[in-house]
Amino acid sequence: MTEQTLILIKPDGVQRGLTGEILARIERKGYVITELKLVHVMPEQLDQHYREHLGKSFYPGLIEYMTSGPVVAAVIEGDRVIEGVRSLCGATDPTTAAPGTIRGDYGRDWGTGAVFNLVHSSDSVESAQWEKSVWFS
């Protein structure tokens, strides 16, 4: 059954010129990009997207990171796309992400204390629906 997921290429991915490579990996896997845009994110939009993290100790740093530059938002479609894209992205910690994944190949610890991990991808059908409404209303 075809499903959709949301990916965000975070500011570090955009700033490092990795947008094309990340999207190409997704397309080479056979998934289809159905919506795409470059966004200068406002904290209010992030409050919606990361609503489950509001009030947590790391939240201010997350907002600072996500508003530090433009973000590319995309809706990706395909069979088992949520699982497939998450596999392409790799583990959240770029230092331990497997080689061959986006985070494993392009991410690392920059010594700032913040986790710059290049991409976000939805973790479930419900999350994907909510996140798409936040970024593509």
Side-chain angles (χ1 to χ4, degrees), residues 19-77:
T19 301
E21 174 61 26
I22 292 167
L23 294 174
R25 283 182 178 218
I26 290 167
E27 288 184 312
R28 281 196 301 266
K29 187 78 171 176
Y31 299 128
V32 177
I33 299 166
T34 60
E35 296 187 66
L36 179 70
K37 66 180 175 179
L38 182 71
V39 181
H40 295 277
V41 187
M42 301 303 291
E44 299 78 21
Q45 187 172 22
L46 294 169
D47 288 347
Q48 291 177 32
H49 179 83
Y50 290 117
R51 65 184 189 232
E52 71 276 9
H53 299 307
L54 282 169
K56 294 183 180 175
S57 61
F58 63 84
Y59 194 73
L62 175 62
I63 297 304
E64 183 179 341
Y65 163 49
M66 291 296 292
T67 58
S68 67
V71 169
V72 171
V75 175
I76 312 297
E77 188 172 288

Side-chain angles (χ1 to χ4, degrees), residues 29 82-90 101-102:
K29 187 78 171 176
I82 294 169
E83 179 183 5
V85 168
R86 289 182 68 80
S87 179
L88 281 172
C89 290
T101 65
I102 293 165

Side-chain angles (χ1 to χ4, degrees), residues 113-125:
V115 177
F116 299 124
N117 64 2
L118 302 165
V119 290
H120 163 84
S121 64
S122 304
D123 63 4
S124 68
V125 171

